[in-house]
């Protein structure tokens, strides 16, 4: 049986870096569209970019062919340029022998990408890509909602 083909658009944002962060993903399958988002009180932009991808992939109930769109070179380049293989071979160290940051998220992401056939596509951020812009709005809205909620408590 052929795998389902799914498109996922993702984005992460941060108010301050570190600061309150938000993430969002829009999943498309045939005529279905699902939007998800969330926020964390103390995080970084890079963590939110990775979280958006992770949460998008977590929504898939079975192995799929995924085209994943992100404006984050930080999240996409390790796959497109195969840096991640080198990181693993060097025990999660970069070519310059520094520790890879956000290893917990990279390891989770690797686990999820092993279940699916994922093609990463780098898109230009804050440009004319409607769904990337939608993710940006959802992520920024999640930040505002969390900030408002924490002010009430």
């Amino acid at each position: 049986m052929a795998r389902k083909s799914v498109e996922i658009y993702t984005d992460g944002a941060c108010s301050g870096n570190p600061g309150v962060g938000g993430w969002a993903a829009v999943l498309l399958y045939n005529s279905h569209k699902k939007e998800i988002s969330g926020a964390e009180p103390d995080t970084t932009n890079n963590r939110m970019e990775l979280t958006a991808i992770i949460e998008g992939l977590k929504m898939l109930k079975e192995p799929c062919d995924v085209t994943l769109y992100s404006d984050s070179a930080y999240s996409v380049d390790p796959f497109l340029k195969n840096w991640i293989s080198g990181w693993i071979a060097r025990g999660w160290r970069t070519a310059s022998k520094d520790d890879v940051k956000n290893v917990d998220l990279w390891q989770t992401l690797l686990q999820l990408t092993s279940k699916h056939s994922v093609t990463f596509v780098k898109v230009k951020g804050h440009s004319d890509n409607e769904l990337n812009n939608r993710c940006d709005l959802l992520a920024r809205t999640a930040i505002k909602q969390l900030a408002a909620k924490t002010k009430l408590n």
Side-chain angles (χ1 to χ4, degrees):
M1 181 149 101
R3 287 183 179 204
K4 293 177 180 174
S5 292
V6 178
E7 290 182 299
I8 303 176
Y9 287 79
T10 65
D11 198 20
C14 222
S15 180
N17 198 19
V20 179
W23 59 266
V26 175
L27 293 86
L28 304 170
Y29 171 68
N30 291 337
S31 62
H32 304 285
K33 178 179 175 181
K34 182 165 186 73
E35 297 181 342
I36 60 172
S37 62
E40 295 182 15
D42 185 29
T43 189
T44 64
N45 189 63
N46 286 342
R47 287 189 70 82
M48 291 294 90
E49 295 283 2
L50 292 173
T51 298
I53 296 170
I54 288 167
E55 295 300 328
L57 291 171
K58 280 183 177 178
M59 296 301 297
L60 305 176
K61 307 270 189 266
E62 62 191 73
C64 296
D65 291 330
V66 178
T67 304
L68 195 136
Y69 300 89
S70 172
D71 63 9
S72 168
Y74 175 80
S75 303
V76 172
D77 283 354
F79 291 97
L80 294 179
K81 299 179 179 182
N82 204 27
W83 297 340
I84 205 153
S85 297
W87 294 349
I88 294 166
R90 290 185 293 273
W92 291 99
R93 294 200 180 277
T94 65
S96 60
K97 309 271 191 280
D98 294 323
D99 289 336
V100 172
K101 291 184 170 112
N102 304 310
V103 171
D104 58 330
L105 297 178
W106 285 113
Q107 290 173 335
T108 300
L109 182 52
L110 249 161
Q111 189 177 34
L112 289 165
T113 58
S114 71
K115 297 177 184 177
H116 308 283
S117 175
V118 182
T119 301
F120 286 87
V121 178
K122 171 78 171 64
V123 297
K124 187 174 180 184
H126 312 283
S127 185
D128 58 358
N129 187 305
E130 177 186 344
L131 292 175
N132 179 258
N133 290 338
R134 177 69 182 153
C135 287
D136 181 61
L137 176 63
L138 291 169
R140 286 186 289 110
T141 300
I143 290 170
K144 288 177 186 167
Q145 290 171 340
L146 180 60
K149 185 193 283 186
T150 55
K151 284 180 186 171
L152 294 175
N153 293 336

